[in-house]
Amino acid sequence: MLMSQRNLSADNFGRNKPIRILHFLGLLGHGGIEVWLMNVMRALDHTNYQFDFVVHSREPGPFDAEVHELGGRVLSLDPPQRKPWSYKRQLSRLLKEHGPYDVVHSHVHFVSGCILPIAASCGVPLLIAHSHDDKRAVEKNETLARKAIINILKRRTKKYANVGLACSSLAAASLFGEQWATDPRWQVLNYGFDFSSFSHLPEQQTLRKTLGLPLHGKIVGNVGRFVYQKNHDFAVRVLKELVGRGEDVHLLCVGSGKLENEVREQLRQAGLTARAT
């Protein structure tokens, strides 16, 4: 189901009950990872597979109710960074109270190095680490202490993961190392996307009015969190270049994040505030 190397079926686990898979996330929000997982969950045969989610937040998420409707659960823990000494106890208790689980699938990059050893100690047979991002550029600017912690977590991830998935070769190298392709446990998984929700779109002029966009001219879209990896700098440079060529173009950014004010300032300095939403 989630990997090509294994036949993830109930028979492989020696029973006829649904395979129980526990996903670890920051928050079950509207991010790309979460939307992809919800699309997978909606398409599942729920007699054979059950998804539960651990989120490292006490805030409710927009998909919580739907997860419950589909037979899953959303379980909350404090982030391990907040309470590192009690995280093992909390997670062990959660796995025992709500398990047994057949699969733990961690989507939280470095923090997989905390989660997978605990899941292994609780007897979870299949442990998956999933890299959705290339964080190497960010790592370079970390303190020496932080870099040491990250290296320890990476080593623990590689020690305990039965399977490692990544959205690209760059993301694989970020979590599993530059030589990731030599280890048969690691593989790139190309995400599928459900385009059915785009089959009946509103009329363009109506949509432009709703979003406060100009009724004429080209729209350049950028969908993603305002973080380094989404490369909003490039979007601003493209907008500046197009406007400089006399193009009637407007930039639409969809998302939020810590760099939003910085991007707004770049647009202001370039005299492009009126051409961005």
Side-chain angles (χ1 to χ4, degrees):
M1 185 186 90
L2 293 179
M3 62 217 96
S4 60
Q5 292 180 336
R6 295 173 181 268
N7 178 16
L8 190 59
S9 68
D11 292 340
N12 282 1
F13 289 90
R15 57 185 175 77
N16 295 319
K17 298 178 182 178
I19 300 302
R20 302 192 63 212
I21 303 166
L22 184 61
H23 293 276
F24 283 75
L25 299 163
L27 176 70
L28 194 54
H30 285 119
I33 301 168
E34 296 87 349
V35 170
W36 170 65
L37 282 172
M38 288 305 301
N39 283 335
V40 173
M41 189 176 188
R42 294 178 189 119
L44 285 176
D45 178 351
H46 297 286
T47 62
N48 289 323
Y49 303 102
Q50 177 188 329
F51 274 12
D52 287 347
F53 299 89
V54 169
V55 295
H56 293 95
S57 171
R58 300 297 179 177
E59 297 294 325
F63 293 121
D64 290 4
E66 184 179 1
V67 168
H68 291 297
E69 291 174 3
L70 294 172
R73 288 176 290 191
V74 180
L75 310 167
S76 296
L77 285 178
D78 291 318
Q81 302 93 318
R82 185 178 302 172
K83 297 182 178 179
W85 306 115
S86 65
Y87 187 77
K88 181 177 181 180
R89 182 176 68 254
Q90 293 179 51
L91 179 51
S92 297
R93 185 188 306 123
L94 181 150
L95 291 170
K96 291 174 183 177
E97 290 180 356
H98 297 281
Y101 286 100
D102 303 295
V103 183
V104 158
H105 190 152
S106 173
H107 302 268
V108 284
H109 209 81
F110 303 133
V111 182
S112 298
C114 290
I115 294 166
L116 299 188
I118 299 170
S121 69
C122 292
V124 180
L126 183 53
L127 307 173
I128 304 174
H130 203 143
S131 178
H132 296 272
D133 197 357
D134 180 2
K135 295 184 179 293
R136 289 173 294 178
V138 176
E139 285 180 60
K140 291 179 181 179
N141 297 321
E142 298 283 6
T143 64
L144 289 177
R146 174 68 176 165
K147 288 178 180 178
I149 293 171
I150 288 173
N151 287 333
I152 291 171
L153 293 175
K154 284 184 178 182
R155 288 198 296 270
R156 289 167 67 84
T157 297
K158 289 187 284 186
K159 177 180 178 180
Y160 287 94
N162 307 111
V163 173
L165 303 176
C167 64
S168 68
S169 58
L170 295 176
S174 177
L175 186 57
F176 308 126
E178 299 293 339
Q179 303 302 316
W180 67 271
T182 63
D183 189 326
R185 290 179 298 164
W186 318 138
Q187 60 183 282
V188 171
L189 175 69
N190 295 315
Y191 302 158
F193 193 85
D194 182 6
F195 287 95
S196 61
S197 59
F198 297 95
S199 58
H200 301 287
L201 294 176
E203 198 272 331
Q204 279 196 20
Q205 295 301 308
T206 301
L207 184 59
R208 287 185 180 225
K209 288 180 181 179
T210 301
L211 296 175
L213 297 171
L215 299 183
H216 304 286
K218 298 176 182 177
I219 305 296
V220 176
N222 185 302
V223 181
R225 292 173 296 131
F226 282 82
V227 294
Y228 167 82
Q229 292 86 348
K230 303 303 181 182
N231 205 5
H232 287 81
D233 288 349
F234 179 70
V236 173
R237 294 199 304 271
V238 168
L239 178 63
K240 184 177 181 179
E241 176 69 20
L242 292 175
V243 171
R245 295 181 182 182
E247 296 276 357
D248 184 9
V249 63
H250 195 92
L251 174 65
L252 171 64
C253 294
V254 180
S256 61
K258 60 184 180 181
L259 297 183
E260 182 174 350
N261 289 335
E262 182 178 314
V263 174
R264 290 184 183 276
E265 179 61 19
Q266 290 174 357
L267 290 164
R268 188 193 67 79
Q269 292 183 8
L272 297 171
T273 300
R275 287 191 173 270
T277 299

